[in-house]
mmCIF file of all heavy atoms in Angstrom:
data_model
loop_
_atom_site.group_PDB
_atom_site.id
_atom_site.type_symbol
_atom_site.label_atom_id
_atom_site.label_comp_id
_atom_site.label_asym_id
_atom_site.label_seq_id
_atom_site.Cartn_x
_atom_site.Cartn_y
_atom_site.Cartn_z
ATOM 1 N N ILE A 577 11.884 6.018 -16.622
ATOM 2 C CA ILE A 577 13.096 6.445 -15.921
ATOM 3 C C ILE A 577 13.764 7.512 -16.778
ATOM 4 O O ILE A 577 13.886 7.342 -18.001
ATOM 5 C CB ILE A 577 14.067 5.257 -15.739
ATOM 6 C CG1 ILE A 577 13.432 4.182 -14.839
ATOM 7 C CG2 ILE A 577 15.400 5.715 -15.164
ATOM 8 C CD1 ILE A 577 14.064 2.811 -14.996
ATOM 9 N N ALA A 578 14.178 8.611 -16.161
ATOM 10 C CA ALA A 578 14.913 9.651 -16.888
ATOM 11 C C ALA A 578 16.321 9.745 -16.329
ATOM 12 O O ALA A 578 16.524 9.669 -15.120
ATOM 13 C CB ALA A 578 14.200 10.993 -16.768
ATOM 14 N N THR A 579 17.291 9.892 -17.233
ATOM 15 C CA THR A 579 18.699 9.991 -16.818
ATOM 16 C C THR A 579 19.295 11.291 -17.354
ATOM 17 O O THR A 579 18.943 11.741 -18.444
ATOM 18 C CB THR A 579 19.519 8.807 -17.376
ATOM 19 O OG1 THR A 579 19.422 8.815 -18.817
ATOM 20 C CG2 THR A 579 19.000 7.480 -16.856
ATOM 21 N N ALA A 580 20.193 11.885 -16.573
ATOM 22 C CA ALA A 580 20.891 13.108 -16.977
ATOM 23 C C ALA A 580 22.386 12.837 -16.907
ATOM 24 O O ALA A 580 22.867 12.240 -15.942
ATOM 25 C CB ALA A 580 20.529 14.253 -16.036
ATOM 26 N N SER A 581 23.112 13.306 -17.921
ATOM 27 C CA SER A 581 24.527 12.951 -17.988
ATOM 28 C C SER A 581 25.419 14.161 -18.231
ATOM 29 O O SER A 581 24.984 15.185 -18.767
ATOM 30 C CB SER A 581 24.733 11.924 -19.105
ATOM 31 O OG SER A 581 26.104 11.707 -19.367
ATOM 32 N N ALA A 582 26.686 13.972 -17.872
ATOM 33 C CA ALA A 582 27.706 14.980 -18.161
ATOM 34 C C ALA A 582 27.976 15.069 -19.660
ATOM 35 O O ALA A 582 28.645 15.997 -20.112
ATOM 36 C CB ALA A 582 28.990 14.648 -17.409
ATOM 37 N N ASP A 583 27.447 14.115 -20.452
ATOM 38 C CA ASP A 583 27.625 14.191 -21.912
ATOM 39 C C ASP A 583 26.677 15.214 -22.554
ATOM 40 O O ASP A 583 26.666 15.389 -23.772
ATOM 41 C CB ASP A 583 27.474 12.807 -22.569
ATOM 42 C CG ASP A 583 26.055 12.227 -22.488
ATOM 43 O OD1 ASP A 583 25.107 12.972 -22.173
ATOM 44 O OD2 ASP A 583 25.896 11.010 -22.733
ATOM 45 N N GLY A 584 25.853 15.884 -21.713
ATOM 46 C CA GLY A 584 24.969 16.941 -22.205
ATOM 47 C C GLY A 584 23.613 16.459 -22.696
ATOM 48 O O GLY A 584 22.806 17.241 -23.181
ATOM 49 N N SER A 585 23.353 15.157 -22.551
ATOM 50 C CA SER A 585 22.062 14.638 -22.999
ATOM 51 C C SER A 585 21.312 13.975 -21.855
ATOM 52 O O SER A 585 21.890 13.626 -20.822
ATOM 53 C CB SER A 585 22.251 13.626 -24.136
ATOM 54 O OG SER A 585 22.719 12.388 -23.624
ATOM 55 N N GLY A 586 20.005 13.817 -22.075
ATOM 56 C CA GLY A 586 19.173 13.045 -21.161
ATOM 57 C C GLY A 586 18.599 11.876 -21.937
ATOM 58 O O GLY A 586 18.574 11.880 -23.178
ATOM 59 N N ARG A 587 18.141 10.874 -21.226
ATOM 60 C CA ARG A 587 17.488 9.740 -21.882
ATOM 61 C C ARG A 587 16.269 9.329 -21.075
ATOM 62 O O ARG A 587 16.245 9.505 -19.851
ATOM 63 C CB ARG A 587 18.439 8.547 -22.004
ATOM 64 C CG ARG A 587 19.452 8.727 -23.117
ATOM 65 C CD ARG A 587 20.482 7.611 -23.182
ATOM 66 N NE ARG A 587 21.334 7.829 -24.334
ATOM 67 C CZ ARG A 587 21.379 7.054 -25.417
ATOM 68 N NH1 ARG A 587 20.634 5.967 -25.487
ATOM 69 N NH2 ARG A 587 22.174 7.334 -26.427
ATOM 70 N N VAL A 588 15.290 8.779 -21.764
ATOM 71 C CA VAL A 588 14.090 8.260 -21.111
ATOM 72 C C VAL A 588 13.991 6.777 -21.435
ATOM 73 O O VAL A 588 14.088 6.383 -22.612
ATOM 74 C CB VAL A 588 12.809 8.987 -21.587
ATOM 75 C CG1 VAL A 588 11.607 8.539 -20.762
ATOM 76 C CG2 VAL A 588 12.978 10.502 -21.492
#
Side-chain angles (χ1 to χ4, degrees):
I577 296 160
T579 59
S581 170
D583 67 14
S585 76
R587 283 175 176 247
V588 187

